[in-house]
Amino acid sequence: MSTTFFLVRHAIKEKAFGDVSITPEGIMQAQLTAKHFCTLPITAIVSSPLQRAKETAEYIALGATASIEVDARLRERANWGDLPGQTFEEFVAMWDRCTREPEYMPPVGDSAKQAGQRLSSLLSELAELHPPQSNIVIVTHGGLITDFLVGTLPKEQTLRPGIQILLKYRASWSRSVR
């Protein structure tokens, strides 16, 4: 028995400081994503507390029978605007360093390694809370998903465009790469 997780990056967001909404193009993207999920038996939708993720989750919830739960553990490892006075260039430099050095602890937020472990821990907890064979949509951020996958997939695994990763939780992580 297993739980299936669908890791969804929020739709395209406004290019601005802080907790921003999705753009009109992002709305279309979220609607298309929702269309994909409306034919599946979705057990739960869990979203980051940031506006762009919650808005994306709301579109998915319109076609699913599940309500949205918000969980702070789905927040990005760092968000531009978390560190007062930080310029966008300084944020990008901090982000890049965290990506290159997964153990690096930035002045705000989590290291990439901590962020990936945070998502892994949440997925394990959700798998225990929900019945076997559950389908759970996780709406979060690209950086957090990347941090999780970097810590989960074997280092030698190379993903090509069009490759789909289906994560099923059993007693330990199993990975299907198609």
Side-chain angles (χ1 to χ4, degrees):
M1 298 213 229
S2 63
T3 300
T4 300
F5 292 97
F6 298 92
L7 303 180
V8 177
R9 183 209 181 254
H10 60 78
I12 297 171
K13 67 179 181 81
E14 296 173 3
K15 293 182 181 180
F17 180 83
D19 190 7
V20 297
S21 294
I22 59 177
T23 64
E25 185 180 0
I27 291 170
M28 291 183 351
Q29 211 177 40
Q31 290 170 332
L32 286 171
T33 302
K35 198 174 188 179
H36 170 77
F37 287 115
C38 73
T39 61
L40 299 172
I42 301 301
T43 310
I45 301 169
V46 187
S47 174
S48 160
L50 294 179
Q51 192 63 32
R52 57 196 179 261
K54 289 191 301 187
E55 289 174 358
T56 303
E58 287 167 4
Y59 282 98
I60 294 169
L62 288 174
T65 57
S67 60
I68 301 169
E69 301 168 40
V70 174
D71 195 302
R73 293 172 286 182
L74 291 174
R75 186 174 164 82
E76 187 65 275
R77 86 167 89 116
N79 195 43
W80 184 38
D82 288 349
L83 186 61
Q86 184 182 47
T87 67
F88 182 70
E89 291 74 21
E90 291 168 334
F91 171 76
V92 170
M94 179 188 77
W95 185 271
D96 288 347
R97 181 171 178 193
C98 286
T99 301
R100 280 190 321 274
E101 303 170 36
E103 307 253 355
Y104 169 70
M105 191 63 193
V108 64
D110 294 330
S111 70
K113 184 175 181 177
Q114 287 173 322
Q117 290 170 338
R118 177 168 34 93
L119 179 53
S120 180
S121 173
L122 174 62
L123 296 180
S124 295
E125 181 182 308
L126 290 170
E128 296 299 320
L129 288 173
H130 291 276
Q133 305 305 319
S134 291
N135 292 305
I136 302 173
V137 176
I138 304 293
V139 185
T140 188
H141 307 274
L144 184 61
I145 293 169
T146 300
D147 294 338
F148 167 73
L149 291 175
V150 165
T152 303
L153 292 176
K155 297 233 183 288
E156 64 279 356
Q157 181 69 52
T158 303
L159 296 179
R160 297 177 311 278
I163 297 292
Q164 191 180 65
I165 298 172
L166 176 63
L167 297 172
K168 290 189 180 251
Y169 178 83
R170 293 194 178 104
S172 62
W173 283 109
S174 77
R175 299 173 282 279
S176 294
V177 180
R178 297 188 240 169

